[in-house]
Amino acid sequence: MSPARNEKDIPVTSDWGASLTPRLAQFAAVARHEHVTRAANELGVPQSTLSRAITRLEDDLGVALFARRGRTVSLTPAGRTFLASAERALTAVEQAAESVRADADPGKGKVAFGFLHTLGWETVPVLIRAFRADHPRVRFALVQNYGEAMLERLRAGDLDLCLTSPVPDAPDLVARRLAEQRLRLVVPDDHRLASRRRVRLAEASDEPFVTLERGYGMRRILESLCAEAGFTPRIAFEGEEPETIRGLVAAGLGVALLPPPPVPRPGVRELAVTAPRAVREIGVAWLAGRPDTPPVAAFKSFLLSRRDRLLAG
């Protein structure tokens, strides 16, 4: 009979994982060899240390995992049940370790990369094609989202890098400006301003605006530029995707302030805004203090080398 154990020595339920995990490989080795000494030799530990570890494991579980016959051991029914789960757990840990090693491989690792919807049509595919000319086996997990949501995913560790606008200024993030993009006032092709090439934003102060929802960088930029022009925009419709916004403008439901389209959109005119200066800055951001894997470091360096050429392809 095992000696009586103090209550403080018994793991509470929430500590079972931490208590058992280091001993699963020891248990599995003894089960595989059905011999403590051979298992100890495989693990590179003294036989006495391994014997004590297995006894303590049985005490913690409150069941006998092995039937002992001299120097050999065999699994009890409880031991066989526990072994099946232990082997699944060890396999899962090994697969997870292999996965993170593969993701960090300099030649064929993975980069989790987020970017704005407005950059997904042309800019990001061109960037990745150029990067993979020198890193052909690096893999990408691509995420399109609006700015605030991407920054939250960056903070949560779901992303390594993201292209966003406005360029964030937060103590837990590092951000670098890469490009500046001129914005245009988009009007229906039968609008009173449609024959113009350039306008002041104040000339649209009485117009209903079609814009992106709150949380999108372009929404904040619109409100800021309109305030600078001396008015508060009257929002008629909100959406989540710039080309949908253009479709609503083409239908005569309002005007919009947007970056240039990937391809010309019928039914609208794109007018340069002369005042105030209507631009958006695009930057790359990452989590401060987070070490980069080699593929992430290589892609970050590549993006920084494209400063002021990001939108040129």
Side-chain angles (χ1 to χ4, degrees):
M1 179 181 296
S2 301
R5 298 182 60 201
N6 191 301
E7 215 174 71
K8 68 181 181 181
D9 295 327
I10 301 174
V12 296
T13 302
S14 61
D15 291 335
W16 274 117
S19 172
L20 296 178
T21 299
R23 290 175 286 174
L24 292 182
Q26 296 171 326
F27 164 71
V30 175
R32 184 166 58 254
H33 288 284
E34 295 187 335
H35 198 284
V36 177
T37 301
R38 287 197 290 269
N41 290 337
E42 178 189 293
L43 296 172
V45 299
Q47 181 269 333
S48 58
T49 298
L50 184 57
S51 293
R52 286 195 298 271
I54 295 301
T55 299
R56 180 65 182 269
L57 176 60
E58 291 176 316
D59 287 347
D60 284 347
L61 294 174
V63 296
L65 299 174
F66 294 102
R68 291 159 174 82
R69 292 187 297 275
R71 295 188 177 186
T72 63
V73 296
S74 61
L75 288 167
T76 64
R80 286 193 293 273
T81 298
F82 189 63
L83 178 63
S85 295
E87 287 179 332
R88 285 196 296 272
L90 290 169
T91 297
V93 170
E94 184 174 344
Q95 289 173 342
E98 181 57 35
S99 176
V100 296
R101 283 198 299 268
D103 288 349
D105 185 290
K108 55 182 180 180
K110 184 177 76 174
V111 179
F113 182 44
F115 51 93
L116 301 170
H117 290 92
T118 50
L119 300 176
W121 179 277
E122 183 176 19
T123 300
V124 168
V126 169
L127 284 172
I128 292 177
R129 181 179 63 186
F131 175 74
R132 294 192 77 204
D134 293 324
H135 304 80
R137 300 178 68 190
V138 169
R139 296 170 291 124
F140 282 84
L142 301 177
V143 174
Q144 286 180 276
N145 217 321
Y146 64 96
E148 290 183 7
M150 272 199 303
L151 296 183
E152 287 309 306
R153 294 192 67 171
L154 199 63
R155 291 182 170 104
D158 297 333
L159 294 175
D160 298 308
L161 302 165
C162 70
L163 289 181
T164 189
S165 177
V167 181
D169 180 13
D172 60 335
L173 301 176
V174 181
R176 297 288 183 268
R177 176 195 170 279
L178 295 179
E180 183 178 273
Q181 188 174 44
R182 289 194 173 274
L183 305 177
R184 300 174 180 179
L185 184 70
V186 185
V187 302
D189 59 8
D190 59 355
H191 191 271
R192 61 182 177 85
L193 297 173
S195 62
R196 304 266 300 275
R197 296 183 63 185
R198 297 177 178 82
V199 294
R200 291 176 291 109
L201 189 57
E203 294 180 75
S205 60
D206 293 331
E207 300 287 341
F209 274 80
V210 185
T211 185
L212 297 171
E213 295 177 350
R214 292 193 181 278
Y216 284 74
M218 276 304 307
R219 175 63 173 266
R220 296 198 302 275
I221 292 170
L222 169 69
E223 292 174 345
S224 175
L225 289 174
C226 288
E228 193 175 342
F231 70 98
T232 299
R234 177 163 54 92
I235 307 301
F237 294 92
E238 297 176 319
E240 297 181 344
E241 207 279 321
E243 291 313 299
T244 300
I245 300 298
R246 277 191 170 83
L248 294 172
V249 172
L253 299 176
V255 302
L257 190 70
L258 292 171
V263 293
R265 173 74 185 240
V268 299
R269 294 288 186 270
E270 311 261 341
L271 313 179
V273 178
T274 59
R277 187 169 183 268
V279 298
R280 69 167 179 171
E281 288 190 334
I282 299 170
V284 59
W286 60 90
L287 194 63
R290 178 179 176 178
D292 292 331
T293 62
V296 170
F299 190 58
K300 180 191 295 183
S301 177
F302 169 80
L303 290 176
L304 294 174
S305 75
R306 308 285 289 195
R307 183 173 181 174
D308 296 325
R309 297 185 298 118
L310 183 80
L311 304 177

